[in-house]
Coordinates of all heavy atoms in Angstrom, one line a residue:
M24 N 125.2 271.1 40.7 CA 124.4 270.7 39.6 C 122.9 271.0 39.8 O 122.5 270.8 40.8 CB 124.6 269.3 39.2 CG 124.3 268.9 37.8 SD 125.0 267.3 37.4 CE 123.5 266.2 37.7
E25 N 122.3 271.6 38.9 CA 120.8 271.8 39.0 C 120.1 270.5 38.9 O 120.4 269.8 38.2 CB 120.4 272.7 38.1 CG 120.3 274.3 38.5 CD 119.8 275.1 37.4 OE1 118.6 275.0 36.9 OE2 120.7 276.1 36.9
R26 N 119.0 270.5 39.8 CA 118.1 269.3 39.6 C 117.3 269.5 38.3 O 116.9 270.6 38.1 CB 117.1 269.2 40.8 CG 118.0 268.8 41.9 CD 117.0 268.4 43.1 NE 116.3 267.3 42.8 CZ 115.4 266.6 43.7 NH1 115.0 267.4 44.8 NH2 114.7 265.6 43.5
L27 N 117.1 268.4 37.6 CA 116.2 268.5 36.5 C 114.8 268.6 36.9 O 114.3 267.9 37.8 CB 116.2 267.2 35.6 CG 117.4 267.1 34.6 CD1 117.5 265.8 34.1 CD2 117.2 268.1 33.6
S28 N 114.0 269.6 36.5 CA 112.7 269.7 36.9 C 111.9 270.1 35.6 O 112.3 270.8 34.8 CB 112.4 270.7 38.1 OG 112.5 271.9 37.5
A29 N 110.6 269.5 35.7 CA 109.8 269.8 34.6 C 108.4 270.4 35.1 O 108.1 270.1 36.3 CB 109.5 268.6 33.9
S30 N 107.7 271.0 34.3 CA 106.3 271.4 34.6 C 105.3 271.2 33.5 O 105.8 271.0 32.4 CB 106.3 272.9 35.2 OG 106.8 273.6 34.0
C31 N 104.1 271.2 33.9 CA 103.0 271.1 32.8 C 102.4 272.3 32.5 O 102.2 273.3 33.3 CB 102.0 270.1 33.5 SG 100.5 269.8 32.4
G32 N 102.1 272.5 31.2 CA 101.4 273.6 30.8 C 99.9 273.7 31.1 O 99.2 274.8 31.0
G33 N 99.4 272.6 31.4 CA 97.9 272.5 31.7 C 97.5 272.5 33.1 O 96.4 272.5 33.5
C34 N 98.5 272.3 34.1 CA 98.2 272.3 35.4 C 99.4 272.9 36.3 O 100.4 273.1 35.6 CB 97.8 270.9 36.1 SG 99.1 269.8 36.1
D35 N 99.2 273.0 37.5 CA 100.3 273.5 38.4 C 101.5 272.5 38.6 O 102.5 272.9 39.5 CB 99.8 274.1 39.7 CG 99.0 275.3 39.4 OD1 99.3 275.9 38.5 OD2 98.1 275.5 40.2
A36 N 101.4 271.3 38.3 CA 102.3 270.3 38.6 C 103.7 270.6 38.3 O 104.0 271.1 37.2 CB 101.8 268.8 38.2
R37 N 104.6 270.2 39.2 CA 106.1 270.2 38.9 C 106.6 268.9 39.4 O 106.3 268.4 40.4 CB 106.7 271.4 39.6 CG 106.3 272.8 39.3 CD 107.2 273.9 39.8 NE 107.1 274.9 38.8 CZ 107.9 275.1 37.9 NH1 109.0 274.3 37.7 NH2 107.8 276.3 37.1
W38 N 107.6 268.5 38.6 CA 108.2 267.2 39.0 C 109.6 267.1 38.6 O 110.1 267.8 37.8 CB 107.3 265.9 38.5 CG 107.5 265.9 37.1 CD1 108.3 265.2 36.3 CD2 106.6 266.6 36.1 NE1 108.0 265.4 35.0 CE2 107.0 266.2 34.8 CE3 105.5 267.5 36.3 CZ2 106.3 266.8 33.7 CZ3 104.8 268.0 35.2 CH2 105.2 267.6 33.9
T39 N 110.3 266.2 39.3 CA 111.8 265.9 38.9 C 112.0 264.6 38.5 O 111.2 263.7 38.8 CB 112.6 266.2 40.1 OG1 112.4 265.5 41.2 CG2 112.6 267.7 40.5
G40 N 113.0 264.3 37.8 CA 113.5 263.0 37.4 C 113.3 262.8 36.0 O 112.0 263.0 35.4
V41 N 114.2 262.2 35.3 CA 114.1 262.0 33.8 C 113.1 261.0 33.5 O 112.6 261.0 32.4 CB 115.5 261.8 33.3 CG1 116.3 262.9 33.2 CG2 116.3 260.6 34.0
D42 N 112.9 260.0 34.3 CA 112.0 258.9 34.0 C 110.6 259.2 34.3 O 109.6 258.5 33.8 CB 112.3 257.6 34.9 CG 113.7 257.0 34.5 OD1 114.2 257.3 33.3 OD2 114.2 256.5 35.3
A43 N 110.2 260.4 34.9 CA 108.9 260.7 35.3 C 108.0 261.0 34.0 O 108.4 261.5 33.1 CB 108.9 261.8 36.3
A44 N 106.8 260.5 34.2 CA 105.7 260.8 33.1 C 104.6 261.3 33.7 O 103.9 260.8 34.7 CB 105.5 259.4 32.5
H45 N 104.3 262.6 33.2 CA 103.0 263.3 33.7 C 102.0 263.1 32.5 O 102.2 263.1 31.5 CB 103.5 264.8 33.8 CG 102.4 265.7 34.3 ND1 102.0 265.6 35.6 CD2 101.7 266.6 33.6 CE1 101.0 266.4 35.8 NE2 100.6 267.0 34.6
C46 N 100.7 262.8 33.2 CA 99.6 262.5 32.3 C 99.1 263.8 31.8 O 98.3 264.3 32.3 CB 98.5 261.7 33.0 SG 97.2 261.1 31.9
V47 N 99.6 264.4 30.6 CA 99.3 265.7 30.2 C 97.9 265.8 29.6 O 97.3 266.8 29.8 CB 100.4 266.1 29.1 CG1 100.4 267.6 28.9 CG2 101.8 265.7 29.5
V48 N 97.4 264.7 28.9 CA 96.2 264.8 28.3 C 95.0 264.2 29.1 O 93.9 264.4 28.8 CB 96.3 264.0 27.0 CG1 97.3 264.6 26.0 CG2 96.7 262.5 27.2
G49 N 95.3 263.7 30.3 CA 94.3 263.0 31.1 C 94.2 263.7 32.4 O 93.7 264.7 32.7
C50 N 94.6 262.8 33.4 CA 94.2 263.1 34.8 C 95.4 264.1 35.4 O 95.1 264.5 36.5 CB 94.4 261.7 35.6 SG 95.8 260.8 35.5
H51 N 96.4 264.4 34.7 CA 97.4 265.3 35.3 C 98.0 264.8 36.6 O 98.2 265.6 37.5 CB 96.8 266.7 35.5 CG 96.6 267.4 34.1 ND1 97.8 268.1 33.5 CD2 95.5 267.7 33.4 CE1 97.4 268.6 32.4 NE2 95.9 268.4 32.2
R52 N 98.1 263.5 36.5 CA 99.0 263.0 37.8 C 100.5 262.6 37.2 O 100.6 262.5 36.1 CB 98.4 261.7 38.4 CG 97.1 262.0 39.1 CD 96.6 260.7 39.6 NE 95.3 260.9 40.4 CZ 94.2 260.7 39.9 NH1 93.9 260.1 38.5 NH2 93.0 260.8 40.5
T53 N 101.4 262.6 38.1 CA 102.7 262.4 37.7 C 103.1 260.9 38.3 O 102.8 260.5 39.2 CB 103.7 263.2 38.3 OG1 103.2 264.6 38.1 CG2 105.1 263.1 37.8
Y54 N 103.6 260.2 37.2 CA 103.9 258.8 37.4 C 105.5 258.6 37.4 O 106.2 259.4 36.7 CB 103.3 258.0 36.3 CG 101.9 258.0 36.5 CD1 101.2 258.9 35.8 CD2 101.3 257.1 37.2 CE1 99.8 259.1 35.9 CE2 99.8 257.3 37.5 CZ 99.1 258.2 36.8 OH 97.8 258.4 37.1
A55 N 106.0 257.7 38.1 CA 107.5 257.6 38.3 C 108.2 257.2 37.2 O 109.5 257.6 36.9 CB 107.7 256.5 39.5
D56 N 107.5 256.5 36.3 CA 108.1 256.0 35.0 C 107.1 255.6 34.0 O 105.9 255.7 34.4 CB 109.2 254.8 35.3 CG 108.5 253.6 35.8 OD1 107.2 253.5 35.8 OD2 109.2 252.9 36.7
V57 N 107.5 255.2 32.8 CA 106.5 255.0 31.8 C 105.7 253.8 32.0 O 104.5 253.8 31.7 CB 107.3 254.8 30.5 CG1 106.4 254.4 29.4 CG2 107.9 256.1 30.1
D58 N 106.3 252.9 32.7 CA 105.5 251.6 32.9 C 104.3 252.0 34.0 O 103.2 251.4 33.8 CB 106.4 250.5 33.6 CG 107.2 249.8 32.7 OD1 107.0 249.9 31.5 OD2 108.1 249.0 33.0
S59 N 104.6 252.9 35.1 CA 103.6 253.1 35.9 C 102.6 254.0 35.3 O 101.3 253.8 35.4 CB 104.1 254.0 37.1 OG 105.3 253.3 37.6
Y60 N 102.9 254.8 34.3 CA 102.1 255.7 33.5 C 101.1 254.8 32.7 O 99.9 255.1 32.7 CB 102.8 256.6 32.7 CG 102.0 257.4 31.7 CD1 101.3 258.4 32.0 CD2 102.0 256.9 30.3 CE1 100.5 259.2 31.1 CE2 101.3 257.6 29.3 CZ 100.6 258.8 29.7 OH 99.8 259.4 28.9
E61 N 101.7 253.8 32.1 CA 100.9 252.9 31.2 C 100.0 252.1 32.0 O 98.9 251.7 31.6 CB 101.8 252.1 30.3 CG 102.3 252.8 29.2 CD 103.3 252.0 28.2 OE1 103.6 250.9 28.7 OE2 103.7 252.7 27.3
A62 N 100.3 251.9 33.3 CA 99.5 251.0 34.1 C 98.2 251.7 34.4 O 97.2 251.0 34.9 CB 100.3 250.6 35.4
H63 N 98.2 252.9 34.4 CA 96.9 253.7 34.8 C 96.0 253.9 33.7 O 94.9 254.4 33.8 CB 97.3 255.0 35.6 CG 97.1 256.2 34.8 ND1 98.2 256.5 33.8 CD2 96.3 257.3 34.7 CE1 97.9 257.6 33.3 NE2 96.8 258.1 33.7
L64 N 96.5 253.5 32.5 CA 95.7 253.6 31.3 C 95.0 252.4 30.9 O 95.7 251.3 30.9 CB 96.6 254.1 30.1 CG 96.9 255.6 30.2 CD1 97.8 255.9 29.0 CD2 95.8 256.6 30.1
R65 N 93.6 252.5 30.6 CA 93.0 251.3 30.1 C 92.2 251.6 28.9 O 91.3 252.4 29.1 CB 92.2 250.5 31.2 CG 91.8 249.1 30.7 CD 90.8 248.5 31.5 NE 91.4 248.2 32.9 CZ 90.6 247.8 34.0 NH1 89.4 248.0 34.0 NH2 91.2 247.6 35.2
G66 N 92.6 251.2 27.8 CA 91.9 251.6 26.5 C 91.9 253.1 26.4 O 91.0 253.7 25.8
G67 N 93.0 253.7 26.7 CA 93.1 255.2 26.5 C 92.6 256.0 27.6 O 92.4 257.2 27.5
V68 N 91.8 255.4 28.4 CA 91.2 256.0 29.6 C 91.9 256.0 30.9 O 92.4 254.9 31.2 CB 89.7 255.5 29.8 CG1 89.0 256.2 30.9 CG2 88.9 255.6 28.5
C69 N 92.0 257.0 31.7 CA 92.7 257.1 32.9 C 91.9 256.5 34.0 O 90.8 256.7 34.3 CB 93.0 258.6 33.3 SG 94.1 259.5 32.2
L70 N 92.6 255.5 34.6 CA 92.2 254.9 35.8 C 92.5 255.7 37.2 O 93.6 256.4 37.0 CB 92.7 253.4 36.1 CG 92.2 252.5 35.0 CD1 92.8 251.2 35.4 CD2 90.7 252.2 35.1
D71 N 91.8 255.7 38.1 CA 92.3 256.0 39.4 C 93.6 255.3 39.7 O 93.5 254.1 39.7 CB 91.3 256.0 40.5 CG 91.6 256.6 41.7 OD1 92.9 256.4 42.2 OD2 90.9 257.3 42.3
P72 N 94.7 256.1 40.0 CA 95.9 255.1 40.3 C 95.8 254.1 41.4 O 96.4 253.0 41.3 CB 97.0 256.2 40.7 CG 96.4 257.5 40.2 CD 94.9 257.3 40.0
K73 N 94.8 254.4 42.3 CA 94.7 253.4 43.4 C 94.0 252.2 42.8 O 94.2 251.1 43.1 CB 93.7 254.1 44.5 CG 94.6 254.9 45.3 CD 93.7 255.5 46.4 CE 94.5 256.6 47.0 NZ 93.6 257.7 47.3
D74 N 93.1 252.4 41.8 CA 92.3 251.2 41.2 C 93.3 250.4 40.3 O 93.1 249.2 40.0 CB 91.2 251.7 40.2 CG 90.1 252.2 41.1 OD1 90.0 252.0 42.3 OD2 89.2 252.9 40.6
A75 N 94.4 251.1 39.8 CA 95.5 250.4 39.0 C 96.6 249.8 39.8 O 97.6 249.4 39.5 CB 96.0 251.4 38.0
R76 N 96.3 249.9 41.3 CA 97.2 249.3 42.1 C 98.6 250.0 42.2 O 99.6 249.4 42.4 CB 97.4 248.0 41.9 CG 96.3 247.0 42.6 CD 96.9 245.7 42.7 NE 96.4 245.2 44.0 CZ 97.0 243.9 44.5 NH1 97.9 243.3 43.9 NH2 96.4 243.5 45.6
L77 N 98.6 251.3 41.7 CA 99.8 252.1 41.9 C 99.8 252.7 43.4 O 98.9 252.8 44.0 CB 99.8 253.3 41.0 CG 99.7 252.8 39.5 CD1 99.5 254.0 38.6 CD2 100.9 252.1 39.1
I78 N 101.0 252.9 43.8 CA 101.3 253.4 45.2 C 101.8 254.9 45.1 O 102.5 255.2 44.1 CB 102.2 252.5 46.0 CG1 103.5 252.2 45.3 CG2 101.4 251.2 46.3 CD1 104.5 251.9 46.3
S79 N 101.3 255.7 46.0 CA 101.8 257.0 45.9 C 103.1 257.1 46.6 O 103.4 256.7 47.7 CB 100.7 257.9 46.7 OG 101.1 259.3 46.8
I80 N 104.0 257.8 46.0 CA 105.3 258.2 46.6 C 105.6 259.6 46.5 O 105.0 260.3 45.7 CB 106.6 257.3 46.0 CG1 106.5 257.7 44.4 CG2 106.4 255.9 46.2 CD1 107.9 257.2 43.8
S81 N 106.3 260.2 47.5 CA 106.7 261.5 47.2 C 108.3 261.8 47.5 O 108.9 261.1 48.2 CB 106.0 262.3 48.4 OG 106.4 263.6 48.3
D82 N 108.8 262.7 46.6 CA 110.1 263.0 46.7 C 110.4 264.2 47.5 O 111.4 264.8 47.5 CB 110.9 263.0 45.4 CG 110.4 264.2 44.5 OD1 109.5 264.8 44.9 OD2 110.8 264.2 43.4
G83 N 109.3 264.7 48.1 CA 109.5 265.9 48.9 C 108.9 267.0 48.1 O 108.6 268.1 48.8
E84 N 108.9 267.0 46.8 CA 108.4 268.2 46.0 C 107.2 268.0 45.3 O 106.3 268.7 45.2 CB 109.4 268.5 45.0 CG 110.7 269.2 45.7 CD 111.7 269.6 44.6 OE1 111.3 270.0 43.5 OE2 112.9 269.1 44.8
C85 N 107.0 266.7 44.9 CA 105.8 266.4 44.3 C 105.4 264.8 44.5 O 106.1 264.1 44.9 CB 106.0 266.6 42.7 SG 107.0 265.3 42.0
E86 N 104.1 264.7 44.3 CA 103.6 263.3 44.4 C 103.7 262.5 43.2 O 103.6 263.1 42.2 CB 102.1 263.3 44.9 CG 101.6 261.9 45.3 CD 100.1 262.1 45.6 OE1 99.3 262.7 44.9 OE2 99.7 261.5 46.6
K87 N 104.3 261.2 43.2 CA 104.4 260.5 42.0 C 103.7 259.1 42.5 O 103.5 258.6 43.5 CB 105.8 260.1 41.7 CG 106.6 261.3 41.1 CD 108.0 261.0 40.8 CE 108.7 262.1 40.5 NZ 110.2 261.8 40.5
W88 N 103.2 258.4 41.3 CA 102.6 257.2 41.5 C 103.5 256.1 40.8 O 104.0 256.3 39.8 CB 101.3 257.3 40.8 CG 100.3 258.1 41.4 CD1 100.1 259.4 41.2 CD2 99.4 257.8 42.4 NE1 99.1 259.9 42.1 CE2 98.8 258.9 42.9 CE3 99.2 256.5 43.2 CZ2 97.8 258.9 44.0 CZ3 98.2 256.7 44.2 CH2 97.5 257.7 44.6
L89 N 103.6 255.1 41.5 CA 104.6 254.0 41.1 C 104.0 252.6 41.3 O 103.2 252.3 42.2 CB 105.7 254.0 42.1 CG 106.8 253.0 42.0 CD1 107.5 253.1 40.7 CD2 107.9 253.0 43.0
G90 N 104.1 251.9 40.2 CA 103.6 250.5 40.2 C 103.9 249.8 38.9 O 103.6 250.3 37.8
P91 N 104.5 248.7 39.0 CA 104.9 247.9 37.8 C 103.6 247.5 37.0 O 102.7 246.9 37.7 CB 105.7 246.8 38.4 CG 105.4 246.6 39.8 CD 104.8 248.0 40.2
A92 N 103.7 247.7 35.7 CA 102.6 247.3 34.8 C 102.5 245.7 34.9 O 101.2 245.2 34.8 CB 102.8 247.7 33.4
V93 N 103.5 245.0 35.1 CA 103.4 243.5 35.1 C 102.5 243.1 36.3 O 101.6 242.2 36.1 CB 104.9 242.9 35.3 CG1 104.8 241.4 35.4 CG2 105.8 243.4 34.1
E94 N 102.7 243.7 37.3 CA 101.8 243.4 38.5 C 100.5 243.7 38.2 O 99.4 243.0 38.7 CB 102.2 244.1 39.8 CG 103.2 243.3 40.8 CD 103.4 244.2 42.1 OE1 102.6 244.8 42.5 OE2 104.6 244.0 42.5
F95 N 100.2 244.8 37.7 CA 98.9 245.2 37.3 C 98.2 244.2 36.4 O 97.0 243.8 36.7 CB 98.9 246.7 36.7 CG 97.6 247.0 36.2 CD1 96.5 247.2 37.2 CD2 97.2 247.3 34.8 CE1 95.3 247.7 36.6 CE2 96.1 247.8 34.4 CZ 95.1 248.0 35.3
Q96 N 98.9 243.7 35.4 CA 98.3 242.7 34.5 C 98.0 241.5 35.2 O 97.0 240.9 35.0 CB 99.3 242.4 33.4 CG 99.4 243.5 32.4 CD 98.2 243.9 31.6 OE1 97.3 243.1 31.6 NE2 97.9 245.2 31.3
A97 N 98.9 241.1 36.1 CA 98.6 239.9 36.9 C 97.4 240.0 37.8 O 96.7 239.1 37.9 CB 99.9 239.5 37.8
W98 N 97.1 241.3 38.3 CA 96.1 241.5 39.2 C 94.8 241.4 38.2 O 93.8 240.8 38.7 CB 96.3 243.0 39.7 CG 95.1 243.4 40.5 CD1 94.5 242.9 41.7 CD2 94.3 244.6 40.2 NE1 93.5 243.7 42.1 CE2 93.3 244.7 41.2 CE3 94.2 245.5 39.0 CZ2 92.3 245.7 41.1 CZ3 93.3 246.5 39.0 CH2 92.4 246.6 40.2
V99 N 94.8 242.1 37.1 CA 93.6 241.9 36.2 C 93.3 240.4 35.9 O 92.0 240.0 36.0 CB 93.8 242.7 35.0 CG1 92.7 242.5 33.9 CG2 93.9 244.3 35.2
T100 N 94.2 239.7 35.6 CA 94.0 238.4 35.3 C 93.5 237.6 36.4 O 92.5 236.9 36.2 CB 95.5 237.8 34.8 OG1 96.0 238.5 33.8 CG2 95.3 236.3 34.3
S101 N 94.0 237.9 37.6 CA 93.4 237.2 38.8 C 91.9 237.4 39.2 O 91.2 236.6 39.5 CB 94.3 237.5 40.0 OG 94.2 238.7 40.5
I102 N 91.7 238.7 38.9 CA 90.3 239.2 39.1 C 89.3 238.5 38.1 O 88.3 237.9 38.6 CB 90.1 240.7 38.9 CG1 90.7 241.4 40.0 CG2 88.6 241.0 38.6 CD1 90.4 243.0 40.0
N103 N 89.8 238.5 36.8 CA 88.9 237.8 35.7 C 88.7 236.2 36.2 O 87.6 235.8 36.0 CB 89.5 238.0 34.4 CG 89.4 239.4 34.0 OD1 88.6 240.1 34.5 ND2 90.3 239.8 33.0
T104 N 89.9 235.7 36.6 CA 89.8 234.2 36.8 C 88.9 234.0 38.1 O 88.0 233.2 38.0 CB 91.2 233.7 37.4 OG1 92.1 234.3 36.3 CG2 91.3 232.3 37.4
S105 N 88.9 234.7 39.2 CA 88.0 234.6 40.3 C 86.6 234.8 40.1 O 85.7 234.3 40.6 CB 88.6 235.4 41.5 OG 88.5 236.6 41.3
K106 N 86.4 235.9 39.0 CA 85.0 236.2 38.8 C 84.3 235.0 38.0 O 83.2 234.6 38.2 CB 85.1 237.4 37.8 CG 83.8 238.2 37.8 CD 84.1 239.4 37.0 CE 82.8 240.1 36.4 NZ 83.2 241.2 35.6
D107 N 85.2 234.4 37.0 CA 84.7 233.2 36.2 C 84.1 232.2 37.3 O 83.1 231.6 37.2 CB 85.6 232.7 35.3 CG 85.7 233.7 34.0 OD1 84.8 234.5 34.0 OD2 86.7 233.5 33.3
R108 N 85.1 231.9 38.2 CA 84.7 230.8 39.3 C 83.5 231.0 40.0 O 82.8 230.3 40.2 CB 85.8 230.7 40.2 CG 87.0 229.8 39.6 CD 87.9 229.2 40.6 NE 89.2 229.0 40.0 CZ 90.3 229.6 40.3 NH1 90.3 230.5 41.3 NH2 91.5 229.3 39.8
S109 N 83.3 232.4 40.5 CA 82.2 232.6 41.3 C 80.8 232.6 40.7 O 79.8 232.5 41.2 CB 82.4 233.9 42.0 OG 82.4 235.0 41.1
E110 N 80.9 232.8 39.3 CA 79.7 232.8 38.6 C 79.1 231.4 38.2 O 78.1 231.2 37.9 CB 79.9 233.6 37.2 CG 79.6 235.0 37.4 CD 80.2 235.9 36.2 OE1 80.5 235.1 35.1 OE2 80.2 237.1 36.3
R111 N 80.0 230.4 38.5 CA 79.6 229.0 38.2 C 79.2 228.3 39.4 O 79.8 228.6 40.4 CB 80.6 228.4 37.5 CG 80.6 228.7 35.9 CD 82.0 228.3 35.2 NE 82.2 229.3 34.2 CZ 81.7 229.2 33.0 NH1 80.9 228.3 32.7 NH2 81.9 230.1 32.1
Ligands
ZN6 ZN1 96.0 259.9 33.4
ZN7 ZN1 99.5 268.6 34.1

């Protein structure tokens, strides 16, 4: 059976996996799934995946970024909370 692979018309990236999401209109990074992809977007702007707390994984052919959006939201909330505290 052939492995499913996909490529982007805008860059050299190739990736495998039906769940993978490539950021075609933005940073041209590949995300392991839609949740991870959405985690790197804030207001339609691409964040650096590291800033979005995504981790880099590799399946041997391409780099993918992985990170649950739920954790990211919790992280943003915790930052906002600690910021409020330190300002007072
Ligand atoms: Zn992007
Ligand atoms: Zn691309």
